[in-house]
């Protein structure tokens, strides 16, 4: 293997990751639903030799769309249109194991992988937003443990579906008239605790065999799921120490399961405010903070974390007691992260809201291109990251600054590629193409 | 309204509609999974000013993939990539009301409509292939009446979802900080016999408001469904009289429901073998028939129609008794069509198989460009069609012949447009953009 180098994804959010991005003068909010805008963005990320573009997703409308561009672009359609505008960059779609049928999901990913020439990745989520339940006829959103239980079986099923055509099944012999060798196409006949699926899939095996398996939960269930199944993990950490703890833990878990830890990439989120001087970068960051709307952020805290701070004085301290009584909520990893910020930084309520406005708990860095590169290098070389999910505060300008100014520094330091060595997302990530598992 | 002109769709099937298309020397079977092949085809259809490209679909693998290219391209991903390669042509995806969740389907179509600038159409099917059931945890494929019962409620639900954002809901006022007027975004709170969906959708209303509603069943349930909901109907008829009966019946049903029959387009399938002389066209057709494999066609008859003819002598007559005992099967409309062919033409088993090899029961025409145009004109002017679903025997050559040789004749006769007058599929079809229904 050649020298270890960074992996960089562009995490795309309508408008950008800062909650006030759409209000910033550098953003064109009329283009938030314009596929051409996203195609152009994907082309720029490809020109910078990024590993992938990534779309989050959830099958419900956030309750804070009044104040921010929080609708949801549907990832499969959107990424298929980006595939048509690009040639190399990976395409990672978030899709829920709780609110989709495995046969339908398997088809969508197989097709995306076919039409993109092997560039599909699946960010496996169980859906955190409880309001999704009502869109699928459920009274209650299934609890965390139940969701992960289904997720494990779901991954088993779709893996079997993606392997249900052997690579050699497609014969296409015009002369003999054999199109496919049906002895190499297998029903999967899965009957488990939660799912029954017969198969086979109705598409030949795709260029990558299976999409790259990505996972983004950092809870106990999430870590154990990632160690077993994921090939890349998206994660949120505010401090080098937090990142190192997670990185070491995940790699150890993978090793304990007999996996090669190099085939499980850890990619924390990073949201960079870049200026030609540190002061300029700080001023830019402040300009965004001034555009935030407390009502929005308070709603986000309430929904994501169960924290109700709307009665608190914005310029007073975060009420400790209130925070402590809510500490057992749901998933937990993002909640703990917010508690850590409060402990470490003792912010006012307004400061906390600004702290989270950038990237919903992901790490925000502010500085010159060299300073941002330093931060990336430090995490990469000190056991906290194999690369990053880059979350520009606004699009496309916030990405252009990174691509034009930080990427060249990373390249000078030998940390990032100058072009693509391979054609598929697996090749970009240094992951093998899995053989189809034999039929049992 | 200007003079009535034809509507033409290109119905895309991997390789082409003739079952032996993939074996024909004019077909490149290595490109059956190559998105570039289909993008090129869509561009050609757009250059010919076709109304739409159309993809059939079903969530299972046909049992006859051994002998023909009968895998399934996933329509949403595939059409999104075609949208990126075209600007005007409509994009019609088949999707099942039986095997998808309404919230997921509503998002996929809304997104396809957004990213294509208002070119999406939905071919509403209930899925005829019973083997789909096993891919979705069911012991039995729901019976016809149950499927249509769910379909009616399903259409009601997704219509409400597509209307759940009023057109004015998107405010995007950077100054005031109001992104969306949440008073104009509505939960749908649907609670019916089979579905419960809260909403709202997580995307703003799309350019067309809703995709064009297309329907393809011609059974009693299918006709009554189409009369109530469809804006275009795909149908299979072998004779002018059969086409006229269907056309008159469907328009009358729509009128009886208070609908404008001009807003329900009837588009029969037509599969043309074109030659510079009639003899050349016939020779071409025979060349295809010689490539058929009886085993494949017998399997198709068994699966689609419940007809078991594999014990019959290929060059003997179709055993009448056998046919008559199977006459009550399932849907029925395609079955009746085959019975009519047997009655009318008294074919041998082999002749029947050849008769169906072209387009699975759709009408096959063989002749010079003028003769094909005559057939089209006759149906169009004698109350059997508002246009056609063109089903080329093979791709792309079978389409190129139609576009290059038949389309100019149709234009000379003033029957088909020379370019697009509008931008959306609704505009191509002469259909109004529906206002969002008020919240009840």
């Amino acid at each position: 293997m050649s020298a270890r180098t960074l992996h960089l994804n562009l995490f795309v959010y309508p408008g950008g990751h800062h909650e006030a991005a759409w209000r910033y003068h550098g953003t064109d909010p009329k283009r938030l639903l314009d596929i051409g805008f996203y195609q152009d963005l994907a082309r720029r990320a490809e020109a910078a030799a990024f590993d992938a573009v990534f779309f989050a997703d959830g099958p419900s409308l956030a309750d804070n769309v009044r104040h921010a561009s929080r609708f949801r672009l549907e990832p499969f359609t959107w990424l298929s249109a980006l595939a048509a505008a690009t040639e190399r960059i990976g395409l990672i779609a978030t899709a829920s194991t709780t609110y989709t049928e495995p046969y339908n999901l398997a088809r969508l990913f197989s097709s995306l992988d076919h039409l993109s020439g092997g560039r599909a990745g699946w960010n496996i989520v169980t859906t955190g937003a409880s309001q999704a339940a009502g869109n699928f006829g459920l009274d209650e959103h299934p609890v965390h443990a139940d969701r992960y239980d289904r997720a494990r079986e779901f991954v088993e099923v779709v893996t079997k579906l993606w392997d249900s055509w052997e690579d050699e099944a497609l014969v296409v012999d015009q002369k003999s008239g054999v199109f496919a060798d049906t002895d190499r196409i297998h029903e999967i006949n899965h009957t488990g605790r939660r799912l029954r699926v017969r198969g086979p899939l109705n598409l030949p095996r795709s260029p990558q065999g299976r999409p790259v398996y990505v996972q983004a939960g950092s809870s106990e269930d999430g870590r154990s799921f990632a160690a077993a199944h994921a090939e890349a993990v998206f994660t949120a950490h505010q401090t080098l120490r937090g990142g190192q703890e997670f990185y070491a833990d995940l790699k150890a878990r993978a090793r304990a399961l007999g996996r090669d830890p190099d085939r499980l990439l850890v990619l924390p989120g990073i949201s960079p405010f870049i200026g030609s001087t540190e002061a300029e970068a700080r001023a830019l960051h402040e300009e965004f903070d001034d555009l935030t709307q407390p009502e929005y952020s308070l709603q986000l805290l309430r929904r994501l974390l169960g924290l109700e701070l709307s009665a608190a004085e914005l310029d007073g301290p975060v009420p400790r007691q209130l925070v402590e009584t809510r500490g057992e909520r749901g998933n937990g990893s993002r909640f703990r992260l917010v508690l850590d910020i409060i402990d470490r930084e003792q912010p006012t309520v307004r400061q906390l809201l600004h702290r989270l406005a950038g990237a919903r708990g992901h790490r925000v860095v502010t500085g010159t291109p060299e300073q941002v590169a330093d931060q990336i290098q430090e995490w990469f070389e000190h056991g906290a990251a194999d690369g990053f999910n880059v979350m520009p505060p606004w699009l496309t300008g916030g990405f252009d600054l990174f691509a034009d100014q930080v990427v060249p520094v990373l390249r000078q330091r030998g940390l990032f590629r100058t072009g693509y060595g391979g054609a598929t997302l697996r090749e970009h990530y240094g992951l093998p193409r899995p053989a189809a598992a034999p039929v049992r």
Side-chain angles (χ1 to χ4, degrees), chain A:
Chain A
M1 199 178 125
S2 58
R4 181 172 169 262
T5 52
L6 281 164
H7 298 285
L8 296 177
N9 299 329
L10 169 59
F11 181 175
V12 180
Y13 224 68
H17 285 272
H18 193 282
E19 66 185 42
W22 71 277
R23 301 186 67 194
Y24 181 60
H25 62 78
T27 303
D28 182 358
K30 284 190 299 299
R31 299 197 69 196
L32 289 174
L33 281 158
D34 175 354
I35 189 70
F37 175 85
Y38 298 91
Q39 289 171 325
D40 184 40
L41 188 61
R43 281 190 209 100
R44 293 180 198 213
E46 184 167 84
F50 265 48
D51 292 74
V53 291
F54 160 57
F55 281 75
D57 194 48
S60 60
L61 181 65
D63 53 11
N64 43 26
V65 72
R66 180 168 182 82
H67 297 295
S69 52
R70 291 303 179 246
F71 57 83
R72 288 286 189 191
L73 299 167
E74 196 290 314
F76 289 107
T77 45
W78 223 254
L79 285 170
S80 297
L82 298 196
T86 54
E87 293 180 359
R88 296 290 195 98
I89 196 164
L91 307 158
I92 302 175
T94 298
S96 172
T97 55
T98 303
Y99 294 113
T100 51
E101 288 281 354
Y103 199 85
N104 292 337
L105 179 135
R107 294 187 67 198
L108 288 160
F109 274 114
S110 174
S111 185
L112 180 61
D113 205 47
H114 275 294
L115 70 85
S116 66
R119 298 189 277 145
W122 174 25
N123 179 33
I124 308 166
V125 299
T126 68
T127 301
S130 60
Q131 70 266 32
N135 295 331
F136 295 86
L138 300 184
D139 290 320
E140 302 261 351
H141 187 53
V143 299
H144 202 254
D146 281 347
R147 298 203 309 272
Y148 271 94
D149 197 41
R150 177 176 159 108
R152 281 183 288 270
E153 189 174 339
F154 194 110
V155 169
E156 185 187 338
V157 169
V158 294
T159 300
K160 289 177 185 172
L161 286 171
W162 288 320
D163 289 357
S164 64
W165 289 57
E166 298 179 26
D167 287 315
E168 300 75 18
L170 209 56
V171 176
V172 196
D173 182 347
Q174 289 181 311
K175 202 163 160 161
S176 71
V178 175
F179 182 77
D181 179 353
T182 42
D183 293 340
R184 292 177 181 271
I185 303 173
H186 308 284
E187 291 189 353
I188 68 167
N189 291 314
H190 175 92
T191 304
R193 297 197 324 134
R194 294 164 182 267
L195 297 166
R196 279 196 305 148
V197 180
R198 186 189 298 142
L201 200 62
N202 54 5
L203 268 171
R205 201 156 190 260
S206 73
Q208 292 189 117
R210 308 167 195 156
V212 173
Y213 291 2
V214 181
Q215 196 269 356
S218 296
S219 65
E220 179 58 32
D221 278 338
R223 291 179 188 212
S224 116
F225 184 91
H229 302 291
E231 299 169 295
V233 170
F234 299 158
T235 182
H237 298 286
Q238 290 282 338
T239 64
L240 176 63
R241 180 177 296 190
Q244 287 168 326
E245 180 280 323
F246 179 81
Y247 187 97
D249 179 58
L250 209 64
K251 300 272 177 169
R253 286 173 191 245
R255 208 176 286 111
L257 293 171
R259 295 185 61 197
D260 176 351
D262 290 342
R263 295 183 177 174
L264 172 51
L265 305 176
V266 176
L267 308 172
I270 187 168
S271 186
F273 284 94
I274 300 157
S276 58
T277 63
E278 196 176 328
E280 193 183 302
R282 279 190 201 285
L284 178 68
H285 194 163
E286 275 159 27
E287 196 175 346
F288 273 76
D289 280 345
D290 288 345
L291 293 171
T292 59
Q293 305 184 75
E295 198 186 326
Y296 172 89
S297 325
L298 290 167
Q299 225 168 353
L300 186 74
L301 276 179
R302 197 156 52 231
R303 181 164 60 80
L304 282 185
L305 308 172
L307 283 178
E308 179 52 81
L309 296 181
S310 53
E313 173 57 46
L314 277 178
D315 292 310
V318 177
R320 283 294 313 178
Q321 203 185 354
L322 181 70
V323 168
E324 278 155 9
T325 59
R326 299 298 187 97
E328 291 306 316
R329 182 186 168 79
N331 177 317
S333 70
R334 197 63 65 88
F335 189 89
R336 212 174 319 119
L337 184 148
V338 176
L339 278 196
D340 286 348
I341 292 176
I342 297 169
D343 281 341
R344 212 169 44 242
E345 305 177 8
Q346 308 279 335
T348 65
V349 170
R350 191 189 303 276
Q351 285 167 337
L352 178 64
L353 298 184
H354 285 175
R355 201 71 176 68
L356 299 177
R360 306 175 306 287
H362 283 276
R363 181 164 157 245
V364 177
V365 297
T366 301
T368 64
E370 288 72 21
Q371 287 173 322
V372 171
D374 289 347
Q375 294 274 318
I376 286 173
Q377 184 167 6
E378 183 181 33
W379 283 47
F380 181 63
E381 292 183 345
H382 291 86
D386 296 309
F388 291 87
N389 237 356
V390 179
M391 304 169 68
W394 82 104
L395 294 169
T396 61
F399 175 70
D400 293 338
L401 284 176
F402 188 90
D404 296 344
Q405 300 188 15
V406 179
V407 166
V409 177
L410 296 172
R411 284 182 177 147
Q412 279 160 20
R413 299 180 188 179
L415 295 172
F416 189 58
R417 66 166 82 88
T418 53
Y420 293 103
T424 69
L425 178 55
R426 290 191 173 278
E427 287 164 354
H428 304 337
Y429 275 169
L431 298 167
R433 181 181 190 277
V439 184
R440 281 157 300 193

